[in-house]
Amino acid sequence: MEIKDEGTGNSCRFEADGFEAGASLTIRGNDNTIEIGADIDMRAPKIFIEGNGNVIRMAADPGEVASPAGIPTRPFLLQRDDRAPAIDILGNCNTIETGRHVQIYSSLIQLVGSDNLMRIGSWVRAHLRVDFQTSRATFELGDETTSVALQASLHEPGTMRIGKDCQISADIYLTVSDTHPIVDLTTGERINKAGDVIIGDHVWLGFKSTVLKGCTIGSGSTIGTCAVVTGDIPENCVAVGNPAKVVRENVTWAREFSDAETTP
């Protein structure tokens, strides 16, 4: 492991089994804290911090976290992906926190701004790109959630929250804004303001689905392949299309065929 500390008051502590040789850490700033405990697998991450008062705390809390009852029996895609994640922080007083038993492979986490918060729960397995290009934004990923390939964009202050036990497929895009303003030429008013994205527990986002600013998805729901969510989706339903519309109500989904009751 290579560590370069070009500041004062920085604190680093590493205990991770998955923090392998080849990892690198570069700090250019003061009073930053990095604590990486046991039970997190990031292989050999590249961590770069330029700023002051930032905190990265991964699996650092003492005590064990109970294993969830519904761990998938099939091999997870990311178990075959040994590329290391990269974490870049350019700003001040940003925080990244994770629970225990977390696997983060082939991911890119960028925080460009200040006072941002990224929180990942326990027993999470994820390939993700989370891009903060603002200050005072929040991204949360709940316990036991899996992600094959998620891109989350926070270009304006806001909250993006994904609940527990969600299943995120490949090529998923979530955003709290349109990333560029659209202005009414008559009034000079911006007409596409940012909005929070809130996804409940046990939600399945299908392949290449998109969730736009200001949307909520209720717990237990399924979003179909290539769907574009532009409004609120209720609990326990299936929504498909562009824009996404509810096509089935009073349903839920399961990770394993053996977990669902089937009839001939």
Side-chain angles (χ1 to χ4, degrees):
M1 184 197 312
E2 178 183 3
I3 297 178
K4 297 179 181 179
D5 184 347
E6 302 175 11
T8 61
N10 297 303
S11 172
C12 303
R13 180 173 66 86
F14 304 102
E15 297 179 3
D17 296 335
F19 208 74
E20 298 175 353
S24 67
L25 169 63
T26 301
I27 300 176
R28 297 174 182 168
N30 306 314
D31 302 316
N32 297 284
T33 300
I34 299 92
E35 298 180 2
I36 299 179
D39 301 323
I40 186 164
D41 191 348
M42 298 189 297
R43 302 300 166 97
K46 314 298 182 184
I47 300 175
F48 175 82
I49 298 175
E50 185 169 311
N52 304 315
N54 297 290
V55 176
I56 299 176
R57 184 172 288 117
M58 295 181 165
D61 294 333
E64 183 54 71
V65 177
S67 172
I71 294 179
T73 57
R74 285 179 289 172
F76 190 60
L77 283 174
L78 299 187
Q79 292 176 347
R80 299 193 297 270
D81 191 343
D82 60 359
R83 291 171 293 174
I87 300 173
D88 295 331
I89 299 178
L90 290 85
N92 304 315
C93 301
N94 297 287
T95 300
I96 298 175
E97 299 177 343
T98 79
R100 300 172 72 94
H101 304 286
V102 173
Q103 298 175 345
I104 304 174
Y105 300 152
S106 187
S107 296
L108 176 60
I109 299 169
Q110 293 182 317
L111 289 86
V112 181
S114 298
D115 301 302
N116 293 301
L117 172 63
M118 179 174 177
R119 181 178 290 126
I120 296 175
S122 296
W123 295 98
V124 168
R125 294 179 292 174
H127 166 202
L128 56 125
R129 173 170 180 163
V130 182
D131 191 9
F132 290 79
Q133 296 287 332
T134 187
S135 298
R136 300 178 302 281
T138 299
F139 174 87
E140 296 182 352
L141 193 64
D143 296 343
E144 304 170 36
T145 287
T146 58
S147 166
V148 176
L150 166 66
Q151 181 176 352
S153 175
L154 296 102
H155 281 69
E156 295 188 67
T159 296
M160 185 178 293
R161 181 177 299 121
I162 302 170
K164 298 179 180 179
D165 188 34
C166 290
Q167 181 169 259
I168 300 171
S169 304
D171 297 343
I172 306 301
Y173 181 67
L174 278 60
T175 181
V176 299
S177 76
D178 294 333
T179 71
H180 301 284
I182 300 175
V183 178
D184 186 301
L185 290 176
T186 301
T187 65
E189 179 184 3
R190 179 183 170 187
I191 61 175
N192 64 333
K193 296 181 180 179
D196 297 341
V197 172
I198 307 297
I199 298 173
D201 298 335
H202 194 65
V203 170
W204 178 9
L205 299 182
F207 179 60
K208 288 191 175 181
S209 58
T210 298
V211 182
L212 299 179
K213 63 185 188 327
C215 294
T216 64
I217 301 175
S219 296
S221 287
T222 300
I223 306 301
T225 297
C226 296
V228 179
V229 180
T230 61
D232 294 341
I233 302 297
E235 295 183 349
N236 298 116
C237 70
V238 176
V240 301
N242 181 7
K245 297 184 182 300
V246 174
V247 295
R248 187 72 183 263
E249 298 177 325
N250 195 33
V251 293
T252 190
W253 61 274
R255 290 183 181 269
E256 305 295 334
F257 293 114
S258 59
D259 294 335
E261 292 184 2
T262 59
T263 56

